[in-house]
Amino acid sequence: MKISHVVWDWNGTLLHDNEIVLAAVNEVFVGLGGTAITWPDWQAAYTRPMRVSYETVLSRSLTEPEWAQVDKLYHDRYDALLAKSGLAEGTLDVLLGVAESGRTQSLLSMWFHDRLTPTIDEYGLAPHFTRVDGLVAEVGGGSKAESLVRHLEAQRLDPADVVLIGDVVDDADAARAAGAGSILVSTGAMSREALEATGSLVTDSIQEAVALLK
């Protein structure tokens, strides 16, 4: 792949947070009168918009106020557990390798911007990225497509020269909508089968993903 810029996803890609995601999700379900689920259950239900994922597990629709409450409960619990997560294995080496290859890289997440940027700083990763963008809305769970377009435009990047590396189908859909390429890693919230159905390249690690750029 002849790529000059990499856009990284955060949760499930550079940040290994599956365990705390499941814990936060289960707190929501139990709080709504449901039962706890397993990680494969969540992978099977996971989609965008996120609201549909919860409705699938709960077998009922959520009103707008309920969805806002669910989103807040999830993120409050996730934030409380964040210290238990960590970077994906080899993240620093991978970022250094991309830079050494002459490529630039940035980060785009659908996690809240005011929570994302301090976390990036805590890990000392900010110098590796030309730009870091998170969600600026009060309620999350939507598609990354429009955010990716703005992210690329802000950096005056040609989408044809860009690949997005992420862990969910929405990453592939967003890249396609923006005119960029995508590589998906099977380390996050969706099964490998679901990722492969997008037609994107799918790998088992971020190391394997960047190897495809050479």
Side-chain angles (χ1 to χ4, degrees):
M1 300 180 71
K2 295 182 179 179
I3 295 297
S4 61
H5 184 88
V6 176
V7 177
W8 289 100
D9 173 58
W10 179 239
N11 306 89
T13 304
L14 293 183
L15 184 71
H16 180 70
D17 61 353
N18 295 350
E19 289 81 5
I20 70 169
V21 166
L22 183 61
V25 162
N26 277 330
E27 181 147 325
V28 171
F29 290 137
V30 172
L32 291 174
T35 58
I37 63 173
T38 66
W39 184 246
D41 291 335
W42 184 238
Q43 286 183 308
Y46 190 99
T47 189
R48 294 277 179 169
M50 286 298 301
R51 178 171 168 176
V52 176
S53 304
Y54 287 92
E55 290 177 335
T56 298
V57 175
L58 292 168
S59 298
R60 71 176 181 87
S61 298
L62 295 170
T63 65
E64 290 295 335
E66 281 181 320
W67 168 240
Q69 180 181 6
V70 164
D71 191 61
K72 183 179 186 304
L73 177 59
Y74 169 83
H75 283 101
D76 286 349
R77 183 57 176 161
Y78 179 92
D79 288 352
L81 296 170
L82 186 59
K84 295 183 178 182
S85 65
L87 295 177
E89 184 177 354
T91 290
L92 292 175
D93 288 339
V94 167
L95 296 179
L96 288 170
V98 171
E100 290 171 358
S101 74
R103 299 179 176 92
T104 53
Q105 49 198 331
S106 58
L107 191 145
L108 175 64
S109 173
M110 298 307 286
W111 190 30
F112 295 111
H113 186 78
D114 61 356
R115 301 176 190 177
L116 172 69
T117 50
T119 305
I120 298 297
D121 289 339
E122 287 175 11
Y123 281 111
L125 298 182
H128 295 282
F129 304 123
T130 56
R131 186 178 180 91
V132 174
D133 283 323
L135 184 68
V136 294
E138 293 184 3
V139 178
S143 172
K144 185 179 279 187
E146 292 183 4
S147 295
L148 179 58
V149 170
R150 292 193 297 268
H151 184 78
L152 299 183
E153 289 178 345
Q155 299 179 84
R156 298 182 179 179
L157 292 168
D158 183 346
D161 298 327
V162 174
V163 67
L164 169 62
I165 301 180
D167 71 307
V168 297
V169 168
D170 185 59
D171 290 314
D173 291 342
R176 188 175 298 109
S182 64
I183 301 173
L184 303 177
V185 291
S186 61
T187 55
M190 300 192 79
S191 68
R192 187 182 184 92
E193 291 75 17
L195 300 180
E196 290 175 340
T198 67
S200 292
L201 295 170
V202 180
T203 68
D204 293 322
S205 69
I206 54 176
Q207 290 85 350
E208 292 179 14
V210 297
L212 295 176
L213 305 178
K214 297 178 180 179

